[in-house]
């Protein structure tokens, strides 16, 4: 609804740029909060599954992130926070929302 309203108020091109920038910025803030507040706890859980998942995301973060963005039942915000808990690089993370949006 807000995206459509922005399109009506600002026009397609300006709304597209504004909504894209706001979505990437919001995703980056969620990633940063999660990384700062929860990554150490996540890493210390010690599960083999978590360690394998973390290794996969650290190695192929952008591919994993883009694949998750294409699944409509996985909430955008949950992906942002969960990605911050892993060792995914900032570059991979920022490219994910920028391309996936």
């Amino acid at each position: 609804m807000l995206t459509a309203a922005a399109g009506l108020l600002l026009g397609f091109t300006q709304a597209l740029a504004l909504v894209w920038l706001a979505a990437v910025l919001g995703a980056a803030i969620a990633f940063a909060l999660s990384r700062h507040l929860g990554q150490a706890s996540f890493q210390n859980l010690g599960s083999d599954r978590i360690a394998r998942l973390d290794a996969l995301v650290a190695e192929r973060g952008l591919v994993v992130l883009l694949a998750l963005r294409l699944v409509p039942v996985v909430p955008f915000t949950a992906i942002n926070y969960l990605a911050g808990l892993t060792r995914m690089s900032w570059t991979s993370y920022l490219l994910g929302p920028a391309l996936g949006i």
Side-chain angles (χ1 to χ4, degrees):
M1 294 284 279
L2 292 175
T3 301
L8 290 173
L9 292 173
L10 303 173
F12 178 77
T13 306
Q14 286 180 329
L16 178 67
L18 180 65
V19 168
W20 179 82
L21 181 64
V24 172
L25 182 61
I29 290 169
F31 181 82
L33 280 171
S34 179
R35 169 124 329 155
H36 180 71
L37 297 175
Q39 187 182 33
S41 298
F42 182 74
Q43 299 293 328
N44 291 332
L45 288 177
S47 167
D48 287 339
R49 282 184 169 174
I50 291 174
R52 285 193 308 265
L53 174 67
D54 192 38
L56 174 68
V57 171
E59 184 180 321
R60 300 187 186 274
L62 180 58
V63 174
V64 171
L65 194 58
L66 287 175
L68 285 173
R69 295 272 186 232
L70 294 175
V71 178
V73 295
V74 180
F76 187 82
T77 305
I79 295 170
N80 299 335
Y81 287 114
L82 290 173
L85 296 175
T86 68
R87 292 182 292 136
M88 179 183 295
S89 72
W90 269 97
T91 304
S92 291
Y93 181 74
L94 290 176
L95 282 173
L99 297 173
I101 292 171

